[in-house]
Amino acid sequence: MVPQIPAGFVGRCSCYPTAGGITAGRSGKSAGSRSAGATPPPPPPQSRRPGGLRGRMDPQAEPGEEGEGEGGRITAQLLKASTGQFALESILLLRLRGRGLADLGCLGECANLEWLDLSGNAIAQLGPLAALKSLAVLNLASNRVCSLEPLGSCESLQSLNLAGNLVSSLQQLQCLTGLRRLESLQLRDALGRLSNPVCAAGAYRSALGDMFPGLKAIDGERVSGRGSELYQLCKDLDSSLGHCTAATAAAAEPPCAPKPWVEEGFWELRPARRSSIIEEAYRQFSDVLRECRELGQRADDTIAQAERALSLRADPSSYVF
């Protein structure tokens, strides 16, 4: 018997039993008719997450979405996502290589930054870097930098890489002469095929040495300090070998035959000279050695005789009374 359901109760109940099965909602269709071909209702729309949280929490985020600057600009969110630090003052090391950045944005707020890599971007203005008093290592290779005035305030700067930029004259480097701790300056990278217009002048390296007397390395090559003497020696050796090779190739015959370093027969073995004293010592040693061998033989014979004599004695324990 089917129980009677009030009409008003149907609107408040999601399903109730009937003679044909389960009636769903207000449609009056049974579960059997639904499985026979009825289209289920679409799922409810999913709530969208804020764009700022997707890069951090969503595992389906595309690679590189996290840490992308807003229009090529460095933001606080980018800095925190790249380093894992919550406060910009806590960032000591920062690597933002090849991010397509053109604006340094709030980078000047990283007051304690000591190591910075901005290579492979599109940076032209360095204004925010003037506030980085603790910056010691800066890599700006492969950018669009032509004005270096802000770097004159980085009083702790020791190593600067400017290869692959738009520095066209030595006058643009005059603002860096006040950096007393600067030891390494790179305007050209032969391995990476990066350079600056100023490198077209052949004497730019010697001019850099005069402008920055404290430099120990120019374009990655030691010019003073530890290791510079060995570098200069190898350089002179390469130069001399290059001249010798060129001269040998130009001449049909060598200018002179090679001469040995030592006199002829120096390396030949010569018989050792034996004096009469050494010969007498050898003779006496041979006599003593022969006597020792004879004494050893006599001792072996005596021991053998004693063993035979002991073996012939009768064993008292073998008699039975």
Side-chain angles (χ1 to χ4, degrees):
M1 180 177 180
V2 179
Q4 298 295 328
I5 305 296
F9 185 72
V10 176
R12 295 190 297 269
C13 184
S14 60
C15 60
Y16 56 90
T18 61
I22 302 298
T23 301
R26 302 180 182 179
S27 61
K29 294 184 179 181
S30 64
S33 61
R34 178 183 302 175
S35 61
T39 303
Q46 298 180 355
S47 59
R48 300 180 62 183
R49 298 177 182 175
L53 297 178
R54 184 172 186 266
R56 297 184 183 179
M57 302 176 61
D58 192 353
Q60 301 296 332
E62 297 179 0
E65 183 175 352
E66 176 186 359
E68 288 293 337
E70 296 179 0
R73 178 185 176 88
I74 295 180
T75 61
Q77 181 182 0
L78 170 62
L79 296 175
K80 294 177 181 180
S82 300
T83 62
Q85 300 289 341
F86 292 98
L88 299 185
E89 295 82 2
S90 302
I91 301 177
L92 302 179
L93 185 148
L94 182 60
R95 184 192 300 270
L96 295 175
R97 177 185 300 177
R99 298 291 189 96
L101 301 173
D103 191 344
L104 297 180
C106 63
L107 186 58
E109 299 179 15
C110 303
N112 298 316
L113 191 62
E114 299 178 357
W115 192 96
L116 177 60
D117 185 359
L118 293 172
S119 59
N121 288 287
I123 299 170
Q125 301 296 328
L126 304 178
L129 297 184
L132 304 181
K133 305 299 182 180
S134 301
L135 188 62
V137 178
L138 176 60
N139 187 355
L140 289 171
S142 187
N143 276 280
R144 302 174 183 175
V145 178
C146 59
S147 176
L148 305 173
E149 294 291 339
L151 298 183
S153 302
C154 301
E155 53 191 23
S156 300
L157 194 61
Q158 299 179 15
S159 177
L160 177 60
N161 188 351
L162 294 171
N165 281 277
L166 303 178
V167 180
S168 57
S169 66
L170 295 176
Q171 295 298 327
Q172 294 174 281
L173 300 172
Q174 191 67 32
C175 59
L176 304 179
T177 54
L179 301 178
R180 302 303 179 186
R181 299 184 181 181
L182 188 62
E183 297 181 352
S184 176
L185 179 60
Q186 189 164 355
L187 296 176
R188 180 175 176 269
D189 186 357
L191 296 179
R193 297 181 180 180
L194 300 176
S195 182
N196 281 271
V198 69
C199 300
Y204 83 96
R205 293 189 58 181
S206 59
L208 283 180
D210 297 336
M211 186 181 299
F212 301 94
L215 285 181
K216 296 182 179 180
I218 297 177
D219 294 344
E221 299 177 355
R222 300 285 294 187
V223 294
S224 65
R226 184 176 182 181
S228 59
E229 295 83 359
L230 179 60
Y231 169 75
Q232 187 64 33
L233 177 62
C234 295
K235 186 175 181 181
D236 296 341
L237 182 60
D238 290 341
S239 178
S240 61
L241 290 177
H243 292 315
C244 292
T245 304
T248 304
E253 297 180 356
C256 58
K259 298 181 180 180
W261 294 353
V262 295
E263 298 178 359
E264 186 178 358
F266 179 82
W267 302 109
E268 295 180 358
L269 295 178
R270 299 177 181 178
R273 295 180 181 179
R274 301 180 62 178
S275 63
S276 59
I277 298 177
I278 296 178
E279 292 180 354
E280 180 64 22
Y282 273 114
R283 186 184 61 78
Q284 294 179 4
F285 178 76
S286 300
D287 295 341
V288 172
L289 183 60
R290 184 176 64 256
E291 292 178 0
C292 290
R293 290 176 179 175
E294 293 177 355
L295 291 175
Q297 185 65 33
R298 293 176 184 177
D300 291 340
D301 295 342
T302 304
I303 293 174
Q305 292 176 3
E307 289 179 351
R308 287 196 298 271
L310 291 175
S311 62
L312 294 177
R313 288 185 180 182
D315 188 3
S317 61
S318 61
Y319 295 99
V320 179
F321 295 96

